[in-house]
Amino acid sequence: MSNLDRVFKRIEAYREEIIALQRELTSRIALGPDNGGGGEHEKTAYLKKKMEELAPSSLEEIRSPDERADRGYRPNLVARWDGKTAYPTVWVLSHTDVVPPGDLNLWESDPYQVRVEGDKIIGRGVEDNQHGIVSSYLALKAIRESGEALKRSVGLALVADEETGSKYGLDYLLKDRPDLFKPDDLIIVPDGGNDQGTMIEVAEKSLLWLKFIVTGKQCHGSAPERGKNSLYGAARLIVGLEKMKKEFSLEDLLFRPPRSTFEPTKMEGNVPNINTIPGRDVFYMDCRVLPQYSLDEIIKFAETLAREVAAELGLSIDVKTHYRQEATAPTPSDAPVVVALTEAIQKVKGLEAKPMGIGGGTVAAFFRRAGLPAAVWITEPNTAHQPNEYCLISSVISDAKVFAYLYMGG
Ligand SMILES: [Zn+2]
């Protein structure tokens, strides 16, 4: 048996260990202040102990000040194990925070007490992002227990605040400790993928949230001539905005879906009663735009459409940019991290992985903006943020093997 096979055998025997880790992690509820929680302290402290068990070469807790959080900070953990050569390091960056469970009636069991059903572990956070935490950790544990050497240096980063903007997580880490990550490092963010584990995310679209405020004149439902019905303006404009799909119809096969998307989403309440004609309607649009277009030209086009509808119906329409994030330069499809991951996936799973772009947005954008080519990859059923979120034990095992392959340098 080869060294790698011995490590793989050990990983295959980790079913109970995976369930136990998922149980412990899920019960330590890591909600950020924006989600009504005190932060990630308990979960991070537990993980710190687990990391210590594997005798890291260095282990640091990097605290980002946040007055709203317990103890006034958010904990970020960085553990490193030296390989035979110091660089490049294989980094796996996972996040400790979770999103709230949402409507509890939609859950079949307590979201914070994991339930096991055959190959499934069910609970809040088991996929997002504990699948990544557990598989990257167990890969290292198996190598340590087998007495095998790491060829590459390994870094496990466990960051806070991914679900609510990363200001106290990766964004802080990159600013506070620019020495940690090097452009040559293989940086993997196990926080997105498909159920086969064949999707390596390397690019994201630009994100634009537009807010449309349609103003008319409110009046009694029986006397429309005394007012201006803003709902007609909103309806007309929503239909008109479909022109954006035609105007910005470029396709780029790196992305899924291959074109930009423009979808009206949230609608604010207007009048509470049926016999009042509304004088103000507000709705939003979620646009995911291929990097080939500038967001400014998208905004300009939306403004022109809004002006036309406003003039036609005698209303006024304001177009506001609620949020915008310009796409970062993608990680090249032939970047070392993509090549190494593709090889590892092929060797472990016998599958051909492909670099792809998505609608956004993962935390990898922070790496890319800092000039660090990161790849997003994991094998996941895409149940993140949903009720009855689950992960598959078999996928955690196969992904741990992929990480072990990378740590051992193939
Ligand atoms: Zn996540």
Side-chain angles (χ1 to χ4, degrees):
M1 217 182 337
S2 76
N3 300 355
L4 203 56
D5 287 333
R6 263 195 295 279
V7 170
F8 283 4
K9 268 255 134 38
R10 208 169 270 274
I11 291 173
E12 279 158 21
Y14 276 154
R15 180 185 159 95
E16 292 311 315
E17 184 101 30
I18 293 168
I19 295 169
L21 276 171
Q22 285 283 27
R23 176 170 295 125
E24 296 298 326
L25 292 171
T26 305
S27 69
R28 290 169 169 80
I29 305 169
L31 288 169
D34 287 320
N35 277 325
E40 303 82 355
H41 303 79
E42 220 195 317
K43 191 167 176 180
T44 306
Y46 174 78
L47 284 164
K48 195 172 179 183
K49 266 209 289 208
K50 298 309 287 181
M51 298 294 158
E52 275 163 358
E53 286 172 20
L54 301 186
S57 314
S58 71
L59 179 63
E60 303 174 67
E61 189 180 299
I62 297 161
R63 300 175 171 184
S64 54
D66 182 356
E67 280 172 6
R68 307 163 308 158
D70 295 345
R71 299 176 227 167
Y73 70 90
R74 308 287 288 277
N76 297 284
L77 209 59
V78 177
R80 306 182 56 160
W81 290 263
D82 290 338
K84 281 189 187 144
T85 49
Y87 295 104
T89 298
V90 181
W91 284 101
V92 184
L93 178 126
S94 314
H95 63 87
T96 49
D97 60 325
V98 296
V99 293
D103 185 353
L104 286 175
N105 292 318
L106 299 174
W107 284 81
E108 282 160 23
S109 49
D110 183 339
Y112 296 119
Q113 300 286 323
V114 299
R115 188 159 58 87
V116 182
E117 235 177 53
D119 195 26
K120 272 188 195 173
I121 303 177
I122 302 147
R124 174 53 86 228
V126 293
E127 174 182 321
D128 183 16
N129 192 214
Q130 290 158 210
H131 179 132
I133 297 174
V134 172
S135 53
S136 58
Y137 171 79
L138 288 180
L140 199 62
K141 183 176 157 90
I143 295 170
R144 296 306 242 189
E145 285 179 351
S146 309
E148 299 296 341
L150 294 170
K151 190 162 155 203
R152 293 183 169 122
S153 295
V154 174
L156 297 184
L158 299 159
V159 297
D161 193 33
E162 191 273 347
E163 298 293 359
T164 45
S166 291
K167 183 179 168 198
Y168 305 97
L170 181 57
D171 194 22
Y172 182 83
L173 215 57
L174 288 167
K175 284 177 183 146
D176 188 59
R177 293 293 305 277
D179 57 304
L180 280 178
F181 308 100
K182 308 268 191 295
D184 292 338
D185 289 346
L186 308 179
I187 302 172
I188 299 162
V189 178
D191 200 15
N194 62 13
D195 59 353
Q196 293 279 301
T198 51
M199 174 177 160
I200 301 173
E201 190 260 291
V202 294
E204 288 175 8
K205 293 174 185 170
S206 297
L207 175 61
L208 175 66
W209 287 344
L210 290 175
K211 179 179 186 181
F212 298 89
I213 304 158
V214 185
T215 311
K217 189 167 176 253
Q218 185 179 312
C219 65
H220 196 282
S222 64
E225 72 281 358
R226 288 195 207 131
K228 284 266 179 225
N229 192 335
S230 56
L231 190 52
Y232 280 126
R236 189 81 66 94
L237 183 55
I238 288 171
V239 173
L241 285 166
E242 281 207 88
K243 285 191 197 131
M244 295 176 86
K245 297 179 189 171
K246 268 216 173 101
E247 180 72 17
F248 304 101
S249 61
L250 212 70
E251 296 208 347
D252 181 339
L253 293 175
L254 180 65
F255 288 90
R256 261 313 136 84
R259 64 198 75 80
S260 307
T261 58
F262 304 93
E263 292 296 318
T265 52
K266 175 174 163 171
M267 185 113 205
E268 285 180 10
N270 50 16
V271 287
N273 51 317
I274 300 170
N275 58 352
T276 296
I277 287 174
R280 179 183 154 95
D281 271 281
V282 179
F283 70 94
Y284 299 78
M285 197 174 193
D286 177 305
C287 313
R288 311 284 167 137
V289 182
L290 287 180
Q292 287 87 337
Y293 295 116
S294 86
L295 292 182
D296 288 333
E297 58 182 319
I298 307 286
I299 295 168
K300 210 176 252 163
F301 192 80
E303 282 170 346
T304 306
L305 288 175
R307 256 200 310 277
E308 282 169 18
V309 171
E312 214 178 302
L313 300 181
L315 301 160
S316 93
I317 304 180
D318 273 331
V319 183
K320 293 213 153 66
T321 298
H322 189 73
Y323 182 75
R324 66 184 285 174
Q325 189 174 40
E326 223 85 31
T328 55
T331 293
S333 293
D334 60 354
V337 63
V338 179
V339 173
L341 249 180
T342 307
E343 182 192 310
I345 293 162
Q346 166 67 44
K347 285 282 179 345
V348 170
K349 293 170 178 270
L351 296 171
E352 190 80 37
K354 280 207 165 52
M356 285 182 199
I358 60 164
T362 71
V363 79
F366 289 93
F367 278 125
R368 293 181 189 135
R369 210 164 291 132
L372 300 160
V376 178
W377 170 83
I378 205 72
T379 308
E380 62 169 25
N382 285 308
T383 61
H385 300 208
Q386 293 174 27
N388 307 305
E389 174 181 354
Y390 68 87
C391 78
L392 297 180
I393 297 169
S394 54
S395 299
V396 175
I397 289 176
S398 68
D399 290 357
K401 288 184 189 173
V402 171
F403 286 126
Y405 186 93
L406 287 166
Y407 300 166
M408 291 176 74

